[in-house]
């Protein structure tokens, strides 16, 4: 039996396909960036056809590296969540650009629904809040405003990124996994709940447009043999943050991970008991094996690695993202500068889509090193705000397991430990999102009896960062952050 695993890791700025051995050893990777479209303030779109072509090219490269389709036991897929895709059921071709999770075009509509008193019901059923971040309001907006979608009639299919990719890979299977479905505002996440008719009506989304909801280790189909020279089972799917939590082996209640990618996403496992938040955190499906669902409490920060990218590409302050670590080390402190990175509004626990970023405390003594340091410090401050909210909901963190591209920054990892007063653990292989999808696919393919065993076997070595900052300095820095934050929240 073939034991290699292919993982399609569909991110916000690039597509990547990785090849894994059955024990979790990474064997190869192919990656392609794709364009970001910004048709107006607060609007972010992707070309789904470009994503598909990039995915096809990267996957073919890794299958060739493995020696052919007959050497692959299964394909796993993990993806940017909440992005909505619209395509033709007959051809698979996109009918409009995808509306990306960062897009804020439905902020006013979500605010109106909240003002009308709907948020409590939405939160009780979906575990989420009324925010333009989630897929449902994006889909409803598109159906109302893009005539080509209405004109498509029965040919129109809607889904998140993994749903679209499965449709293209299989030649017609329309399915979503439970983790991605739980991020749409359209699903009742309790028990065996599926698409919720009341939520769909509230957001203007006909249920017959939506995919079937499946488990994360369910074999949902196989690839069209014409694509890769043979049919490969697809039997592992999860949204990127759930996949990263799985890749960090955070499956038991209270185990917590933070992924620092384009945004920062912290999930704490809660087992088969669904959490309820009084502090504007999110209840979400962590994984579904067969009919068994387990849950997590989540806090989402919209801007993390994208802040460093903006300093590099938007302002020209950095020659490379990696330069930020050296600049942060080159100064003894932040020089009084605080950067509140609300470039796409503020996520948890504030949920202020209208908030704008602010850089405060500038003087003639300020230099780009201070700005770079302030940008990295902002990650620890945002994590601290979330830790406080999690603790208030009865889910405190004993330690924190970090991953994602930004987690490779040693200065930032140590600053997280210092500001949180916690041991921070980072795997030597930081791409936990892809590894989690590999664990799901390996379980679905029967290489492991269950996900817990796959996680135990496939997770590698880690590096630990221990708090080293005295409490007085930590409190002084946090006070400065709270002062800077208050200025944009009032």
């Amino acid at each position: 039996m073939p034991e290699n695993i292919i993982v399609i890791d569909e991110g916000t700025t690039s597509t990547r396909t990785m090849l894994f051995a059955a024990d979790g050893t990474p064997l190869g990777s192919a990656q392609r960036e794709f364009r970001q479209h910004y048709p107006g303030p607060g609007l972010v779109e992707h070309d789904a056809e470009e994503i598909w072509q990039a995915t096809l090219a990267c996957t073919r490269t890794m299958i060739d590296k493995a020696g052919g389709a007959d050497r692959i036991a299964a394909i796993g897929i993990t993806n940017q969540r909440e992005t909505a895709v619209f395509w033709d059921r007959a051809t698979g071709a996109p009918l409009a650009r995808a509306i990306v999770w960062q897009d804020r075009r439905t902020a006013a509509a979500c605010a109106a629904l909240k003002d009308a008193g709907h948020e409590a019901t939405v939160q009780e059923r979906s575990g989420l809040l009324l925010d333009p971040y989630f897929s449902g309001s994006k889909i409803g907006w598109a159906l109302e405003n893009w005539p080509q979608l209405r004109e498509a009639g029965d040919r129109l299919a809607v889904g998140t990124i993994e749903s679209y990719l499965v449709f293209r890979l299989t030649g017609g299977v329309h399915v979503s996994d439970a983790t991605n479905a739980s991020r749409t505002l359209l699903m009742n996440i309790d028990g065996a709940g599926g698409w919720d008719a009341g939520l769909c009506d509230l957001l203007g989304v006909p249920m017959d447009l939506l995919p079937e909801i499946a488990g994360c280790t369910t074999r949902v189909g196989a690839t069209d043999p014409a694509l890769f020279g043979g049919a490969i089972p697809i039997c592992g799917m999860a949204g990127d943050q759930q996949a990263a939590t799985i890749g960090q082996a955070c499956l038991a209640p209270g185990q917590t991970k933070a992924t620092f990618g384009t945004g920062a996403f912290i999930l704490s496992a809660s087992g088969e008991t669904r959490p309820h938040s009084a502090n504007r955190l999110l209840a979400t499906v962590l994984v579904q094996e067969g009919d068994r669902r387990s849950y997590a409490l989540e806090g989402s920060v919209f801007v993390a690695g994208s802040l460093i990218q903006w300093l590099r590409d938007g302002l020209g302050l950095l020659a490379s993202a990696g330069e930020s670590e050296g600049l942060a080390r080159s100064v003894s402190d932040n020089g009084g500068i605080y950067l509140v990175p609300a470039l796409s509004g503020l996520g948890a626990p504030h949920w202020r889509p209208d908030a704008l970023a602010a850089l405060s405390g500038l003087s003639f003594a300020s230099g780009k090193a201070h700005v770079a340091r302030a940008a990295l410090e902002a990650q620890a401050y945002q994590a601290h705000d979330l830790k406080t909210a999690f603790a208030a909901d009865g889910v405190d963190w004993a330690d924190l397991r970090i991953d994602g591209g930004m987690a490779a920054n040693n200065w930032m990892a140590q600053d997280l430990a210092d500001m949180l007063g916690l041991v921070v653990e980072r795997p030597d292989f930081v791409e936990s999102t892809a590894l989690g999808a590999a664990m799901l696919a390996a379980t679905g393919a029967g290489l492991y009896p269950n996900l817990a065993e796959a996680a135990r076997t496939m997770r590698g070595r880690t590096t630990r960062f221990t708090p080293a900052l005295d409490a007085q300095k930590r409190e002084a820095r946090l006070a400065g952050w709270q002062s800077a934050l208050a200025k944009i929240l009032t």
Side-chain angles (χ1 to χ4, degrees):
M1 178 180 179
E3 293 193 347
N4 290 329
I5 301 293
I6 286 285
V7 168
I8 297 170
D9 184 355
E10 180 55 62
T12 304
T13 60
S14 67
T15 291
R16 176 174 52 182
T17 299
M18 297 192 71
L19 178 66
F20 288 91
D23 64 357
T25 301
L27 302 176
S29 177
Q31 186 169 357
R32 287 193 181 188
E33 292 189 355
F34 50 80
R35 288 169 292 178
Q36 309 296 300
H37 298 273
Y38 305 102
L43 308 183
V44 189
E45 297 175 353
H46 286 160
D47 181 342
E49 182 64 29
E50 183 182 6
I51 288 174
W52 165 243
Q53 293 299 330
T55 300
L56 198 56
C58 291
T59 303
R60 282 172 171 161
T61 298
M62 285 300 98
I63 290 173
D64 288 347
K65 183 176 180 66
D70 60 346
R71 305 293 298 275
I72 308 299
I75 289 177
I77 300 174
T78 183
N79 56 285
Q80 50 163 310
R81 304 174 303 174
E82 297 94 18
T83 295
V85 189
F86 314 89
W87 69 93
D88 189 317
R89 292 179 188 271
T91 66
L95 294 169
R97 283 182 181 166
I99 304 179
V100 181
W101 61 270
Q102 298 159 310
D103 190 281
R104 314 304 289 172
R105 75 186 65 197
T106 62
C110 290
L113 290 172
K114 182 178 177 181
D115 291 344
H118 293 293
E119 187 167 67
T121 298
V122 168
Q123 185 176 20
E124 177 59 31
R125 295 182 186 181
S126 72
L128 310 176
L129 301 170
L130 278 169
D131 189 90
Y133 172 36
F134 304 109
S135 315
S137 65
K138 303 179 197 298
I139 297 170
W141 182 94
L143 293 174
E144 183 177 351
N145 289 276
W146 284 341
Q148 71 270 34
L149 302 186
R150 296 193 300 273
E151 292 165 3
D154 293 341
R155 298 192 344 268
L156 175 62
V158 174
T160 41
I161 288 286
E162 91 297 344
S163 180
Y164 170 70
L165 291 179
V166 169
F167 192 96
R168 297 297 297 263
L169 287 166
T170 61
V173 174
H174 193 201
V175 65
S176 178
D177 74 276
T179 69
N180 277 290
S182 75
R183 308 296 297 186
T184 61
L185 280 175
L186 303 173
M187 177 186 173
N188 187 325
I189 67 170
D190 283 333
W195 301 122
D196 186 283
L199 295 177
C200 288
D201 287 345
L202 182 68
L203 296 173
V205 179
M207 291 178 66
D208 58 5
L209 298 181
L210 299 173
E212 178 185 351
I213 299 174
C216 299
T217 56
T218 299
R219 175 172 171 159
V220 297
T223 61
D224 181 339
L227 292 177
F228 307 122
I232 305 173
I234 302 171
C235 50
M237 292 195 297
D240 52 9
Q241 302 314 317
Q242 286 94 333
T245 307
I246 293 162
Q248 288 275 34
C250 292
L251 299 174
Q255 293 181 321
T256 306
K257 77 91 203 175
T259 294
F260 291 89
T262 302
F265 302 89
I266 299 179
L267 280 78
S268 187
S270 62
E272 294 184 32
T273 300
R274 176 200 158 172
H276 294 266
S277 176
N279 292 278
R280 301 187 68 75
L281 300 174
L282 308 176
T284 196
V285 176
L286 173 58
V287 67
Q288 180 173 320
E289 291 187 77
D291 294 330
R292 295 180 60 189
R293 281 183 189 160
S294 62
Y295 298 90
L297 194 63
E298 175 173 342
S300 306
V301 171
F302 295 150
V303 177
S306 55
L307 178 63
I308 305 303
Q309 184 182 39
W310 176 69
L311 292 181
R312 182 193 67 190
D313 301 338
L315 299 186
L317 291 182
L318 304 175
S320 67
E323 186 184 0
S324 62
E325 179 172 349
L327 286 171
R329 293 186 186 280
S330 73
V331 290
S332 59
D333 56 37
N334 62 19
I337 292 178
Y338 288 86
L339 202 171
V340 182
L343 292 139
S344 295
L346 284 175
H350 312 289
W351 293 107
R352 285 285 300 273
D354 59 325
L356 297 175
L359 181 63
S360 61
L362 291 169
S363 72
F364 281 123
S366 305
K368 70 176 183 178
H370 296 105
V371 175
R373 181 166 177 144
L376 293 177
E377 287 182 350
Q379 310 313 315
Y381 300 143
Q382 292 180 114
H384 187 275
D385 288 351
L386 284 174
K387 182 179 184 297
T388 302
F390 272 73
D393 277 335
V395 184
D396 206 354
W397 310 341
D399 58 18
L400 185 67
R401 303 176 185 184
I402 64 171
D403 54 56
M406 199 179 185
N409 187 311
N410 288 327
W411 189 93
M412 190 197 80
Q414 182 60 51
D415 196 52
L416 280 166
D418 289 343
M419 297 309 298
L420 297 175
L422 292 176
V423 171
V424 170
E425 187 176 343
R426 183 184 67 197
D428 292 352
F429 178 66
V430 299
E431 300 301 340
S432 298
T433 301
L435 181 60
M439 293 174 180
L440 290 168
T443 303
L447 302 181
Y448 294 95
N450 53 58
L451 185 57
E453 184 62 29
R456 278 192 292 271
T457 303
M458 297 174 73
R459 188 171 186 246
R461 295 178 298 179
T462 64
T463 300
R464 291 163 63 89
F465 298 84
T466 303
L469 186 68
D470 70 68
Q472 187 175 3
K473 289 183 179 178
R474 180 167 61 245
E475 292 306 315
R477 282 181 53 188
L478 288 171
W481 164 254
Q482 291 300 326
S483 177
L485 184 63
K487 293 174 183 176
I488 71 167
L489 291 177
T490 55

